[in-house]
Amino acid sequence: MSKSEQTPESPSFNKSLFAADNNPSNIMPAKLTADSTLKFRCHPGVSCFTNCCGNINIILTPYDILRIRRPLNLTAEEFLLRFTTPTYLEKTDLPGVKIHLDENGRCPFVTEEGCTIYPYRPTTCRYYPVGMSYFHAAGNEGTAAEEFYFLVKEPYCKGHEEPKEQTIREWRIDQGIDESDEMNREWMEIVMRRKSFGLQATLSEQAQKMFFMASTDLDKFRDFVFNSSFLETYDIDEEILAKIKTDDIALMKFSSKYLASSIFGTNELKIKEEKVKARVEKLKTNQGEAEQQAMETYEALRRDRDLLKEQIEGQKPTDKKS
């Protein structure tokens, strides 16, 4: 069964996600829903407080980057240089960034008293100890990814021994996850859809660079939109253009539509009709040139073959009659 055919009900799906030989034993082997009950609470009083903030990959979404750098009063470029490390998103060739850990393997924003950017913390941190999986069939444009939850229960974590109980739905509200997921949704759809194709389909270097810029540096992406040939190629509504000039959230969402269009050829953005016609004419011209070149190559080979045949015939000994 291919990745695009796997569903949460199929045996191969459960084996790949939950089997101990492929996954950490701290992932509990049960699929949960938003109404499943969670018993957990993290606070400074637990003995393991902030232990989970070290030796971990904290992948940042576009909204994470935007939300964290605002209170720090940093440009996207400054934030990326000071606090992140380039990486590839899991099981894809899509480049992204993760939090750059300090010399002790700890998140640079955590202290003994807790997280210094807690109101703006990344989506990954908000979810812990809950995980959510997206699964998207390859090539199915317009279909939502299937979602379900699972629980991460690490041996050192004492938060699971706290008496507080709530549903995952309530946990999401308490941690501000709904906002994060809504802001990340379109970008996550691109990532999961790309993952469903597998690594056998590789993006070009140019496409990877464009994905990285649009996903991490909105300042550069805005400059790309307004100071390149972008607006000569795409037909963008004037109201949208006015908004993305100053609204970072609107620009972030627009970037996801652009990436979906450029990577998967979706209809998120419309190419100007004259550009389409020019492209068709260029393809016709290229095709004609290719056909002409093929014909010339064939004729050259035929001439060489005939010449060689004549030479061979001329070298044959003449039969003499006795």
Side-chain angles (χ1 to χ4, degrees):
M1 177 178 290
S2 68
K3 289 184 179 180
S4 62
E5 297 171 326
Q6 289 183 353
T7 65
E9 288 72 31
S10 62
S12 60
F13 174 94
N14 287 317
K15 180 178 180 181
S16 65
L17 181 62
F18 297 124
D21 57 341
N22 292 328
N23 296 275
S25 59
N26 51 40
I27 296 181
M28 297 296 98
K31 290 184 290 183
L32 308 176
T33 70
D35 295 316
S36 298
T37 300
L38 166 69
K39 186 178 178 182
F40 182 84
R41 180 171 176 247
C42 182
H43 58 91
V46 294
S47 60
C48 61
F49 187 58
T50 75
N51 279 9
C52 56
C53 302
N55 300 313
I56 186 173
N57 285 331
I58 305 175
I59 305 296
L60 298 178
T61 69
Y63 186 56
D64 289 336
I65 295 171
L66 179 60
R67 180 165 50 185
I68 294 172
R69 70 179 179 86
R70 277 179 169 176
L72 299 177
N73 196 27
L74 296 174
T75 65
E77 185 175 28
E78 289 173 321
F79 174 78
L80 294 173
L81 287 173
R82 289 178 57 181
F83 295 108
T84 72
T85 299
T87 187
Y88 282 98
L89 306 183
E90 184 185 11
K91 296 181 181 178
T92 76
D93 56 355
L94 298 176
V97 294
K98 61 183 179 180
I99 291 287
H100 180 68
L101 304 182
D102 65 19
E103 63 275 11
N104 298 315
R106 302 273 289 167
C107 173
F109 299 112
V110 71
T111 67
E112 292 183 1
E113 289 73 35
C115 179
T116 59
I117 58 165
Y118 189 78
Y120 316 101
R121 65 198 184 280
T123 304
T124 297
C125 304
R126 292 172 186 270
Y127 259 101
Y128 187 84
V130 175
M132 182 169 73
S133 286
Y134 294 83
F135 286 86
H136 200 301
N140 287 353
E141 180 183 346
T143 61
E146 188 167 0
E147 305 171 354
F148 71 88
Y149 304 92
F150 56 89
L151 187 64
V152 177
K153 196 170 184 179
E154 296 171 292
Y156 68 79
C157 183
K158 304 301 180 184
H160 296 279
E161 298 175 7
E162 294 290 300
K164 184 175 181 178
E165 287 191 18
Q166 56 188 327
T167 64
I168 290 179
R169 190 187 310 278
E170 292 169 334
W171 170 259
R172 289 175 57 91
I173 295 172
D174 182 59
Q175 298 297 309
I177 293 172
D178 286 347
E179 177 192 348
S180 292
D181 278 1
E182 179 58 32
M183 292 295 181
N184 293 328
R185 187 169 302 281
E186 290 180 277
W187 184 80
M188 281 299 302
E189 283 285 325
I190 295 170
V191 174
M192 298 314 300
R193 194 169 172 196
R194 179 64 190 159
K195 185 183 292 189
S196 70
F197 279 91
L199 293 176
Q200 66 271 18
T202 304
L203 287 179
S204 68
E205 182 180 353
Q206 182 62 31
Q208 290 180 331
K209 288 180 177 179
M210 185 57 65
F211 179 87
F212 184 81
M213 179 183 70
S215 298
T216 64
D217 195 333
L218 285 178
D219 299 335
K220 287 184 179 178
F221 181 69
R222 181 178 278 117
D223 184 69
F224 166 72
V225 171
F226 290 101
N227 297 305
S228 73
S229 60
F230 182 89
L231 295 180
E232 297 175 9
T233 304
Y234 292 96
D235 191 4
I236 310 299
D237 184 82
E238 289 296 329
E239 185 177 342
I240 293 176
L241 286 177
K243 197 167 186 179
I244 65 177
K245 276 186 178 180
T246 56
D247 189 330
D248 285 342
I249 297 294
L251 181 64
M252 182 190 71
K253 292 184 176 181
F254 179 81
S255 72
S256 291
K257 295 184 186 302
Y258 167 71
L259 291 175
S261 177
S262 59
I263 294 176
F264 298 115
T266 66
N267 296 319
E268 298 284 355
L269 297 185
K270 183 180 178 182
I271 299 177
K272 289 185 176 180
E273 189 173 342
E274 60 267 27
K275 288 290 183 179
V276 175
K277 289 180 179 179
R279 177 62 176 166
V280 171
E281 290 302 318
K282 185 177 181 180
L283 289 173
K284 286 181 179 178
T285 301
N286 290 345
Q287 183 179 15
E289 292 175 352
E291 290 174 351
Q292 179 64 29
Q293 185 177 8
M295 182 61 69
E296 291 174 357
T297 300
Y298 169 77
E299 291 296 336
L301 288 173
R302 186 177 64 80
R303 288 194 299 270
D304 290 346
R305 182 200 61 191
D306 291 345
L307 181 60
L308 180 62
K309 184 178 179 181
E310 290 175 3
Q311 291 174 345
I312 293 174
E313 290 292 334
Q315 293 174 1
K316 286 183 178 180
T318 302
D319 293 336
K320 295 181 179 180
K321 294 183 180 179
S322 55

